[in-house]
Amino acid sequence: MPHLRREDAVFVLDLGEPDRIDTENRFTPEWMAAVHACLDEVQAADGPKALVTTGSGKFYSNGFEPERFAGPDAVGYLLAGQRVFERLLTFPAPSVAAVQGHAFGAGAIFAMAHDGRVMRGDRGYFCLPEITLPLAQSDDGLVIPGGMADLLTVRLPGPAAHEAMLTGRRYGGQDALAAGIVEAVEEHERVLPVALTRAGALAGTAGPALGAMKRWMYRDVVAALGKVTLTC
């Protein structure tokens, strides 16, 4: 399950299992509950603070479990994911995603909900693959739900939002930097240290005012993430 450690003022939220690498860090109900518990701990800490999220090995996060969307609680499952995005988007401490591996689907949206992103340059992709999936070409169709689409169109530059959402392009680190998806690209061993430095420099901004300002800035996205909209 996701777990925390602290390096000076920065809390590091590892999205995977302790002492394991190459976990896919899927959005299971248990995984999302553990993320919320970790965010509760960070939010309760006193003094300057910041948050960095990362993974180990091949994956940052591979997103939702597709089979759950065929189950009886698909809407509830989707709404739970949107609550994670909303929590991070409005989090009252600065946040940086240290994307050391693949960020696909909901994993990519999770990264975009942070205040900043540092990505590995030599391996790993940022990708919103929904348009390329078989259901997208079926009569039922498949769209990125409204709140998630709103988050992406607010946080991504216009051309990048168009290309990423409507073509399913896989962006390597340098392409993601050129498109404005991430703010920095580093060698593997430098991704986390650079993210820590960037987050730590802003730790003094943490507090209720930061959360309130984020919530106001992204009020339309927050409202959209509070409901499930599956049609355009």
Side-chain angles (χ1 to χ4, degrees), residues 21-207:
I21 62 172
D22 291 338
T23 55
E24 293 193 29
N25 309 333
R26 293 275 189 177
F27 278 54
T28 66
E30 297 78 14
W31 185 93
M32 290 186 281
V35 167
H36 279 298
C38 290
L39 295 179
D40 287 343
E41 183 176 341
V42 177
Q43 194 164 340
D46 294 327
K49 57 192 172 186
L51 174 72
V52 167
T53 65
T54 194
S56 300
K58 185 176 180 180
F59 300 99
Y60 174 76
S61 172
N62 226 2
F64 287 124
E65 293 186 309
E67 62 273 16
R68 290 186 183 271
F69 292 119
D73 193 31
V75 170
Y77 176 59
L78 189 58
L79 189 58
Q82 293 185 173
R83 290 193 184 105
V84 172
F85 303 141
E86 183 269 336
R87 178 88 187 273
L88 194 54
L89 183 68
T90 61
F91 198 62
S95 62
V96 177
V99 185
Q100 91 304 329
H102 295 315
F104 270 65
I109 301 171
F110 184 80
M112 293 310 305
H114 291 66
D115 298 318
R117 286 149 294 283
V118 179
M119 188 172 176
R120 181 174 176 175
D122 61 333
R123 295 181 64 184
Y125 291 106
F126 175 100
C127 181
L128 300 166
E130 287 79 4
I131 198 66
T132 67
L133 300 178
L135 185 57
Q137 283 74 47
S138 74
D139 291 339
D140 293 332
L142 177 69
V143 299
I144 297 175
M148 299 184 202
D150 286 348
L151 189 160
L152 291 166
T153 54
V154 165
R155 299 306 295 269
L156 286 167
H162 179 97
E163 182 176 58
M165 296 170 69
L166 302 186
T167 73
R169 176 179 174 179
R170 296 185 179 196
Y171 295 84
Q174 292 298 335
D175 289 339
L177 180 64
I181 296 170
V182 302
E183 289 75 41
V185 170
E186 300 288 341
E187 296 179 358
H188 179 225
E189 63 273 11
R190 294 269 303 150
V191 171
L192 182 57
V194 169
L196 289 169
T197 298
R198 285 174 170 257
L202 296 171
T205 67

